Amino acid sequence: MSHTTIATLMQMKKEGEKITMLTSYDASFTRVLEAAGVDSILVGDSLGMVIQGQESTLPVSVDDMVYHTRCVARGRRDALLIADMPFMSYSSADQALSTAGRLMKDGGAHMVKLEGGSMQLETVRQLTLNGIPVCAHLGLQPQSVHKLGGYRVQGKDEESAREIKEDAMALESAGAQMLVLECVPKALAAEISHLLTIPVIGIGAGVDCDGQVLVVYDMLGITSGRRPRFVKDFMPESGSVPAAVAAYVQAVKEKRFPTEEHSFQ
Ligand code: KIV
């Protein structure tokens, strides 16, 4: 059986094949995602909101992440498994090494994701030197929601767009092997995807990223509260969970999702 690795996703970027990613938090959903051929699965700290019912991702603990990553790993067959490092679990390079070590050794993750730009460069370097693949996360960083004053589109003015671009390039140079770009204007995401050699996975970042990610509950229409602009509910056109996930995969591969309606200018 072939397994999807970071090298596989790099090759897909080179060949212009779109990469599909969805979140999962348990073994059963993971099996559905696998059956639909999702390329990579993210155990997001969004679990704080969609599983635990918290108001933000901030209360999620390393133990929570390890538990859910282990559940997902049991249902995984082929997809690359990425786990989020939760808020305040990577405040120093040493702490990041310990958190990432747990997510990989106890949880079974293949890669860890962390939020932040230039302040994370040394941490990314240390993780990479220790054989831990890193996915960076720029644009809207939900762990900084209180600093940002809400869940807002980032990089709308020239200065903040330049900062995101410079951070993206610096993170790649520090060793990051993937980048999630959340809620940034479509043109900025397209430019960053073109500039970087590593795969850039967008959420609310337009169709020109190398791949797309959504929170699985959002694309099944069970978002609590207001549905963000970048989310599409695939359930009405599909009728079942497996069919909705398959429709998402096909729409991303065929560049039919996201449309302008799901993007920011
Ligand atoms: O926590 C999460 O699910 C995420 C994705 C929304 C990218 O970070």
Side-chain angles (χ1 to χ4, degrees):
M1 190 191 303
S2 68
H3 289 291
T4 304
T5 63
I6 294 154
T8 318
L9 302 186
M10 293 280 281
Q11 190 60 31
M12 287 169 71
K13 172 168 178 138
K14 262 194 207 142
E15 291 172 2
E17 181 185 348
K18 295 288 179 186
I19 298 163
T20 54
M21 185 188 290
L22 281 172
T23 67
S24 184
Y25 317 100
D26 66 34
S28 297
F29 263 99
T30 301
R31 289 192 192 102
V32 172
L33 268 47
E34 285 280 359
V38 170
D39 298 309
S40 50
I41 295 174
L42 171 66
V43 187
D45 61 354
S46 50
L47 70 83
M49 296 164 91
V50 299
I51 302 283
Q52 298 175 336
Q54 316 263 17
E55 281 192 359
S56 74
T57 61
L58 273 58
V60 176
S61 68
V62 175
D63 285 345
D64 293 337
M65 291 306 304
V66 171
Y67 171 79
H68 286 280
T69 304
R70 204 185 300 132
C71 293
V72 170
R74 290 193 195 109
R76 189 201 74 89
R77 207 180 50 211
D78 184 49
L80 183 79
L81 177 51
I82 306 165
D84 260 337
M85 303 235 271
F87 180 60
M88 294 304 286
S89 73
Y90 52 100
S91 304
S92 66
D94 280 350
Q95 193 194 16
L97 283 168
S98 148
T99 302
R102 285 203 59 204
L103 289 168
M104 294 182 80
K105 285 165 72 142
D106 303 339
H110 304 136
M111 178 177 234
V112 297
K113 179 163 83 57
L114 52 79
E115 297 180 11
S118 51
M119 66 174 283
Q120 299 298 356
L121 295 179
E122 188 48 31
T123 296
V124 172
R125 255 181 234 117
Q126 286 303 323
L127 289 168
T128 305
L129 280 172
N130 282 275
I132 298 169
V134 179
C135 175
H137 183 149
L138 291 174
L140 173 56
Q141 297 163 38
Q143 292 175 10
S144 301
V145 60
H146 296 304
K147 183 176 154 206
L148 298 171
Y151 297 100
R152 300 171 202 284
V153 182
Q154 304 295 307
K156 287 209 300 193
D157 59 81
E158 216 173 294
E159 196 187 325
S160 63
R162 182 167 31 82
E163 195 181 318
I164 294 173
K165 223 179 330 180
E166 286 173 2
D167 280 351
M169 290 190 290
L171 284 160
E172 174 173 288
S173 300
Q177 288 176 286
M178 196 185 295
L179 171 69
V180 164
L181 261 187
E182 179 164 354
C183 288
V184 299
K186 184 173 177 256
L188 175 62
E191 194 183 347
I192 293 172
S193 304
H194 185 71
L195 277 172
L196 301 193
T197 58
I198 59 173
V200 176
I201 311 296
I203 173 165
V207 74
D208 299 316
C209 295
D210 304 307
Q212 299 294 328
V213 58
L214 282 179
V215 168
V216 71
Y217 290 173
D218 285 346
M219 54 79 57
L220 297 174
I222 43 179
T223 312
S224 64
R226 196 179 59 84
R227 187 198 302 160
R229 177 190 172 101
F230 56 80
V231 170
K232 178 178 173 187
D233 173 4
F234 285 82
M235 272 302 261
E237 70 189 61
S238 310
S240 74
V241 171
V245 174
Y248 166 79
V249 169
Q250 208 176 348
V252 171
K253 293 281 179 196
E254 293 172 1
K255 305 176 197 170
R256 288 185 288 102
F257 176 80
T259 62
E260 294 296 311
E261 178 195 342
H262 307 110
S263 309
F264 302 101
Q265 300 310 318

